[in-house]
């Protein structure tokens, strides 16, 4: 009977082509997994075999065991041997014969319960055991087939296939993996050759040059084409963990600085935000995709770089050496200084880029660090950031972190932390809005309004006009004034909150001078609601006597800044502050107190010049007289500033010219020891100090003294030069400063004059006189008798 035909049809070639790629991948994975498991088993067996061979070679053969019989057993055996064999039963005799045939019976301890051949199995030959292990036949790897285009023939479609070429891998890889454990034990690392100091220096120099060339090559390739070579940033960043102990520290420093400069050059001028899921799923152009990849790679590498810098600083703070690190603890400080310098440069150069707030959080605590160099670098970077920040976004973030640091440390921080706040550019904010800001902004017409009010041609022209106006607004590229004002207002609120906390809770802190100086600078921006309480606190501080002279000057300056700004509406008479300044003016001298003169000049400008309507003539005359007296005991730059202030006061108060007369005005005499400027009778004195200053060694002081003596005229022979008359007192104080321990202006060298020499000759003598001299010189006879009284005797006779 013929075999039954199968109903299933053979799959066609077209059906084979439709086979899922997933099935093919699964088959390949299963095949690879089987091959790996077979190779793993083979390696284990090889390892066991090597171990067995090593054990067999080192193992010594055990001697045969001998059983010592007891005395009773020996007597029983002797008794049994004496018995005849024919007396034994047949069953016992057969058992004895069977036991005699066993070789181990003679050497075995019959008292033990161990099996007969147990010890024999343990001592079995190792080679026999190895022979019994089944062999693994080397199987050839199945070759993969690649389906080609079929050929169509008369008979039908003929499928075409081709073997996939397989690259043979080295067989040594498997052997290395299998023999890895044994190789580590046998092949011990060879010790490094001992080198002399000179050879070590040469070797280090050579390796350092190689690393420098590598860093330079990577940096130049990145800068030449950042978008194409962005992946090389990772290669360069990997050198931050250099493991060569000879050049590790130097290479890490060079890589830190190189990466910092690279990021400053290639970072765009905008902040990169992460893409949303919808943006990732949409198809974009090839150029856009390349830009996205570049931005993503740049942000990730920049983040890792900042993390490396932060970790370097943390390792130095903790002073804990890692096991895998080749850098010594002494080198941690140098690495930390370079890391902090890089962070400070990035803080100033990239305030708009990502992770700027993270850099601020790292830098601000370092401002209060014990290390002077790191603290100065951090404070200088913060001051630079405040000075160049025009918008205010970065300054706001920095002020928030500084305020949190001061509060968390319970106001026990370095004064330099708060001094950095004096560099804020908040003074440029205009409190009063201009007419342009108040005016409503121009609104563009929507589509319905255009269709209703305009014709088709007018709509077309209107559209072009609006497009042009938008382009012009974009071309201006100016920051929104409202946004700027909002940021500056929020920044000032945080600054004043910090200042008021210190005034309330830490009045004896070392931060008080910085607080008073900051209030003096930003007092014109304080809200009017705080004026009364602030003036009361400042007056208590001045009257307490616990402040230094400079601190009391800052209190006075703050109070008058408050009253000269929005405080004009308040009805407050600051007579106590006038009295305190007048009383303490003579504390200034030519020593260290000379630096406080600039604050005194600023206070006088606010107190007398800007508030001239609220100042009486008696008060102005008293201050002019005391300032002129003070000018005799300070340095020349302070004297110039004081005389410039007196010149302004003479112009502001014309009646002060009575101080230039010798005649007294009114009743009473001048009382210089009295501390009240209103009641010291300044109208009854004169400015005699100006005559002394006219003989001063400084030329500018002499000019100002001569100018004031003639009444400080604006024109005429006694007027000053334009350069001196247009400058303020503080500018003149800075211009003629003697901080460099040199005369300013320099003293002119005396002109060299030739001395007249007295020459004896015929030209200087008369003819008669010459004859008499010659006659006396020719006379050679000298009288021997020197009797001087003989002439008197002759005269009497």
């Amino acid at each position: 009977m013929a075999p039954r035909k199968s109903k299933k049809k053979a799959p066609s070639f077209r059906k084979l082509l439709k086979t899922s790629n997933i099935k093919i991948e699964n088959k390949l994975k299963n095949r690879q997994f089987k091959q790996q498991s077979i190779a793993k088993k083979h390696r284990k067996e090889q390892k066991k075999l090597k171990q067995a061979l090593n054990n067999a070679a080192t193992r010594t053969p055990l001697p045969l065991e001998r059983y010592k019989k007891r005395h009773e057993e020996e007597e029983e055996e002797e008794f049994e041997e004496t018995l005849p064999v024919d007396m034994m039963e047949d069953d016992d005799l057969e058992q004895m014969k069977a036991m005699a045939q066993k070789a181990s019976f003679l050497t075995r301890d019959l008292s033990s319960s161990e099996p007969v051949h147990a010890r024999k199995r343990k001592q079995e030959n190792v080679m026999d055991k190895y022979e019994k292990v089944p062999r693994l036949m080397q199987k050839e790897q199945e070759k993969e087939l690649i389906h080609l285009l079929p050929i169509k023939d008369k008979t039908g479609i003929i499928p075409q296939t081709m073997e996939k070429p397989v690259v043979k891998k080295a067989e040594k890889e498997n052997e290395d993996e299998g023999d890895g454990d044994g190789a580590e034990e046998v092949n011990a690392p060879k010790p490094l050759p001992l080198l002399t100091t000179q050879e070590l220096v040469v070797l280090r120099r050579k390796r350092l040059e190689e690393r420098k060339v590598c860093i330079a090559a990577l940096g130049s390739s990145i800068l030449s084409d950042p978008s194409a070579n962005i992946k090389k940033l990772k290669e360069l960043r990997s050198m931050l963990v250099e493991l060569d102990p000879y050049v590790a520290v130097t290479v890490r420093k060079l890589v830190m600085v190189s990466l910092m400069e690279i990021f400053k050059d290639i970072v765009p001028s905008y902040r990169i935000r992460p893409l949303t899921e919808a943006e990732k799923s949409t198809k974009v152009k090839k150029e856009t995709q390349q830009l996205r990849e570049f931005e993503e790679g740049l942000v990730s590498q920049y983040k890792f770089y900042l993390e490396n810098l932060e970790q370097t600083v943390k390792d130095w703070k903790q002073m804990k050496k890692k096991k895998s690190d080749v850098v010594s603890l002494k080198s941690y400080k140098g690495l930390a200084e370079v890391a902090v310098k890089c962070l400070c440069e990035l803080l100033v150069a990239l305030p708009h880029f990502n992770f700027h707030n993270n850099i601020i959080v790292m830098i601000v605590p370092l401002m209060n660090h014990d290390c002077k160099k790191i603290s100065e670098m951090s404070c200088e970077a913060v001051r630079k950031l405040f000075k160049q920040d025009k918008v205010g976004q970065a300054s706001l973030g920095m002020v928030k972190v500084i305020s949190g640091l001061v509060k968390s440390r319970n106001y026990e921080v370095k004064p330099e932390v708060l001094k950095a706040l004096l560099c804020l550019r908040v003074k440029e904010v205009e409190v009063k809005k201009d007419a342009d800001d108040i005016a409503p902004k121009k609104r563009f017409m929507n589509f319905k309004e255009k269709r209703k009010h305009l014709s088709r041609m007018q709509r077309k022209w209107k559209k072009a006009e609006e497009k042009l106006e938008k382009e012009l607004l974009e071309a201006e590229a100016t920051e929104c004034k409202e946004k700027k004002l909002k940021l500056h207002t929020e920044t000032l609120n945080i600054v004043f909150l910090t200042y008021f906390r210190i005034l309330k809770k830490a009045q004896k802190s070392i931060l008080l001078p910085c607080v008073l100086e900051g209030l003096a600078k930003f007092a014109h921006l304080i809200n009017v609601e705080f004026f009364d309480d602030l003036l009361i606190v400042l007056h208590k501080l001045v009257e307490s006597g616990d402040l230094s002279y400079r601190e009391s000057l800052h209190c006075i300056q703050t109070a008058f800044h408050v009253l000269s700004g929005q405080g004009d509406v308040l009805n407050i008479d600051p007579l106590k502050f006038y009295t305190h300044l007048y009383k303490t003016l003579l504390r200034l001298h030519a020593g260290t107190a000379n630096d406080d003169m600039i604050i005194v000049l600023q206070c006088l400008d606010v107190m007398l010049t800007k508030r001239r309507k609220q100042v009486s003539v008696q008060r102005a005359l008293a201050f002019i007289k005391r300032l002129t007296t003070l000018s005799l005991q300070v340095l020349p730059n302070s004297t110039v500033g004081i005389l410039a202030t007196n010149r302004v006061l003479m112009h502001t108060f014309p009646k002060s010219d009575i101080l230039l007369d010798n005649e007294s005005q009114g009743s009473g005499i001048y009382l210089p020891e009295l501390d009240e400027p209103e009641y010291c009778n300044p109208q009854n004195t004169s400015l005699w100090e100006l005559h002394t200053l006219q003989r001063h060694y400084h030329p500018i002081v002499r000019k100002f003294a001569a100018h004031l003596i003639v009444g400080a005229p604006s024109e005429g022979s006694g007027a000053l030069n334009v350069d001196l008359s247009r400058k303020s007192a503080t500018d003149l104080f800075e211009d003629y400063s003697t901080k460099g321990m040199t005369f300013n202006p320099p003293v002119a060298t005396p002109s060299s004059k030739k001395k007249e020499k007295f020459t004896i000759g015929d030209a200087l003598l008369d003819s008669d006189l010459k004859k008499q001299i010659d006659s006396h010189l020719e006379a050679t006879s000298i009288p021997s008798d020197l009797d001087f009284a003989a002439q008197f005797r002759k005269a009497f006779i």
Side-chain angles (χ1 to χ4, degrees), residues 20 203 248 264 293 332 365 443 510 513 639 658 678 713:
S20 175
L203 179 62
K264 285 168 65 176
E293 292 176 358
Y332 277 12
R443 188 177 66 86
I510 58 175
T639 304
I658 60 175
E678 300 282 350

Side-chain angles (χ1 to χ4, degrees), residues 65 67 108-119:
E65 294 183 4
Y67 175 70
R108 183 172 177 268
D109 188 3
L110 297 177
S111 64
S112 66
S113 60
E114 191 177 357
V116 179
H117 298 285
R119 197 173 293 276

Side-chain angles (χ1 to χ4, degrees), residues 714-748:
S714 302
E715 297 177 353
S717 59
L720 288 175
N721 298 331
V722 178
D723 296 336
L724 296 176
S725 60
R726 289 185 177 180
K727 288 185 178 180
S728 62
T730 54
D731 293 339
L732 290 170
F733 175 81
E734 294 291 343
D735 291 344
Y736 296 101
S737 176
T738 57
K739 289 183 178 179
M741 299 302 294
T742 57
F743 288 105
N744 189 7
V747 179

Side-chain angles (χ1 to χ4, degrees), residues 21 115 135 261 292 295 308 326 390 407 492 648 707:
N21 292 331
R135 267 50 171 179
E261 294 294 339
R292 286 183 177 180
E295 290 178 347
N308 289 333
V326 296
K390 297 180 180 179
K407 187 179 179 182
L492 271 182
V648 174
H707 173 68

Side-chain angles (χ1 to χ4, degrees), residues 634-636 693-702 738 743 747:
V634 291
L635 292 180
L693 293 175
Q694 274 189 315
R695 296 188 296 273
H696 200 277
Y697 69 89
H698 200 279
I700 307 300
V701 175
R702 293 199 299 268
T738 57
F743 288 105
V747 179

Side-chain angles (χ1 to χ4, degrees), residues 658-666 683-686:
I658 60 175
L659 295 174
L660 301 175
D661 297 334
N662 293 330
E663 298 179 0
S664 60
Q665 301 287 333
Q683 73 277 1
N684 293 328
T685 185
S686 61

